[in-house]
Amino acid sequence: MILVFCETKDGKIRKPSLEALCEARRLADGAGKGLGALFVGADTTGAGEAAQYGADVIVKIEAPSLAAYSSDGYATAIADAVKAKGATALLAAATSCGRDVAPRVAARLGAGYASDVTGLSMVEGRLQAVRPVYAGKAFATTGFETPVQVATTRPNIFALAPCPKAGAVETLPAPAGGFLAVVKEILTKGAGHVDIAEADVIVAGGRGMKDGANFGILEELAGALGGVVGASRAAVDAGWGLPHSMQIGQTGKVVSPTLYIACGISGAIQHVAGMSGSKVIVAINKDPEAPIFKLATYGIVGDLFEVVPELTKAAKALGK
C-alpha cells in the first residue's frame, strides 16, 4: 500500500495534499497497490473528499492531543499508521508541516527519504524520485534501498485528477501522548491569504522596489491577476517590514506557480533556487544584464514603477 499524509484546513484537504494523493493514485495503479489517505488531528472533518481523488481507504487517527500540530506527536501517529497498514511508501506534500514531519517519520521507520521531489515512478515495487540539486541547477534521480520509502512532493507540480473510489473509512488508535513538545496556542496573522507555496500566480519584488511601502503596486497587480505577493531575501532583509513568510528562495519558500512575475529582482542563485520551477516567468528589471533574464520566459527591460502599473491596467481591463 501507498499511504499519503493529508493536511486539512478549514475542513478541507489542502491542495498540495490532493496533488500528492493524485500522484500516489497513478503510482498505485501502475504497481498494483492500494492507496490510503491518512488524516491526523482532533477533528478530521473533510477527510471524505479523499475518496474523490483516488483513496481506496481513508485512515483516521483522532485524539484531542492531536488538535494542534506537534512534531513528535504527528510523527509517532503517522509512523504507527504506516506500520499498521503495512505501507511500503509514504508521501506527504512539501509544505512547512510536511517538510517537518516526513523526515521524522522516516527516521522512526528506518526508511529512506527524498525531499521536495518533482517526479516519481515505481520501479520493481520501490519508489524512484526526481528532485532538484545544486540549488535547482540540476535534477537527480534517487532510488531507495529500504523496505519503506518516504518522500515529500513539491506543490503545484503534480496534476489534480479526480478519480472516485470507494474510500472505506478506518480508524486507528492515537498515540498515548506524553509528547516532548505540545502546542498550546496558535496566533494567526494575515488570515485568509493564500500561502505563496500554493499560489498559482505570484508577483514578487526584490531590492529594486526600494521600500516596503512600494510593494503596494505589486499588491494591486497581484489582486488583478488573482495572485499573491512574494519577496526576495534581499527585500526581506532590507528592513522594510516585510514578513519572512513572503520570502522566496533557498532560505525561504520554494514555489512553483503557473505565472511568476519578478519585479526588481536581479536573479541571485539563492532566489532562483526557490522559483525556477515556475511554469512562466516574467522578469521586469532596468538592468538588461540582470541574471534573471536568462531564466525568464518573457523579459521587460524598464522601470518597474512604470511597467507594473501598466500591467495592472491591462490585467483589470481583461478582467472586465
Side-chain angles (χ1 to χ4, degrees):
M1 166 175 280
I2 299 175
L3 203 57
V4 178
F5 168 55
C6 297
E7 300 173 50
T8 60
K9 183 178 182 181
D10 300 327
K12 292 186 176 181
I13 306 174
R14 294 185 63 181
K15 181 170 173 280
S17 292
L18 287 177
E19 293 169 355
L21 195 60
C22 291
E23 179 63 7
R25 179 72 269 170
R26 185 186 68 80
L27 294 171
D29 286 342
K33 294 177 177 287
L35 173 61
L38 173 63
F39 295 84
V40 179
D43 181 3
T44 58
T45 302
E49 185 184 4
Q52 299 302 312
Y53 289 88
D56 297 310
V57 181
I58 296 171
V59 182
K60 294 183 176 183
I61 301 179
E62 292 182 319
S65 60
L66 299 171
Y69 173 77
S70 73
S71 299
D72 59 334
Y74 271 53
T76 301
I78 295 169
D80 288 349
V82 171
K83 294 175 184 174
K85 298 303 298 177
T88 55
L90 172 73
L91 299 184
T95 59
S96 298
C97 175
R99 290 170 186 268
D100 182 70
V101 76
R104 298 173 189 274
V105 174
R108 281 167 168 75
L109 297 171
Y113 173 64
S115 64
D116 199 30
V117 305
T118 57
L120 284 167
S121 59
M122 191 71 77
V123 179
E124 298 180 350
R126 294 175 187 265
L127 280 182
Q128 200 167 74
V130 177
R131 55 187 300 273
V133 294
Y134 301 119
K137 285 191 171 182
F139 288 84
T141 299
T142 303
F144 296 81
E145 296 183 352
T146 53
V148 179
Q149 305 103 53
V150 179
T152 55
T153 56
R154 179 179 287 191
N156 286 335
I157 292 294
F158 299 99
L160 282 179
C163 178
K165 294 288 182 179
V169 178
E170 182 177 337
T171 301
L172 296 179
F179 306 135
L180 296 175
V182 177
V183 177
K184 295 290 187 182
E185 184 181 16
I186 297 176
L187 302 177
T188 59
K189 184 178 180 181
H193 286 196
V194 175
D195 188 330
I196 57 173
E198 302 177 25
D200 198 44
V201 176
I202 296 176
V203 182
R207 194 183 291 276
M209 295 303 297
K210 300 181 180 178
D211 192 282
N214 292 330
F215 273 68
I217 63 172
L218 304 189
E219 291 278 3
E220 196 171 354
L221 176 57
L225 295 172
V228 299
V229 173
S232 68
R233 176 178 177 176
V236 173
D237 287 351
W240 296 341
L242 302 174
H244 181 73
S245 59
M246 292 176 63
Q247 185 176 322
I248 297 167
Q250 200 166 25
T251 55
K253 294 188 175 180
V254 176
V255 299
S256 305
T258 300
L259 174 61
Y260 189 89
I261 303 178
C263 306
I265 293 175
S266 63
I269 188 172
Q270 186 277 336
H271 184 74
V272 169
M275 47 69 73
S276 60
S278 305
K279 295 176 179 63
V280 175
I281 298 171
V282 178
I284 305 170
N285 202 301
K286 286 196 296 186
D287 180 7
E289 302 299 324
I292 191 71
F293 286 123
K294 295 179 181 177
L295 186 69
T297 314
Y298 303 100
I300 301 174
V301 178
D303 186 342
L304 69 90
F305 296 103
E306 296 176 2
V307 174
V308 171
E310 291 300 320
L311 287 177
T312 303
K313 287 181 187 177
K316 289 182 176 178
L318 289 172
K320 290 182 178 177

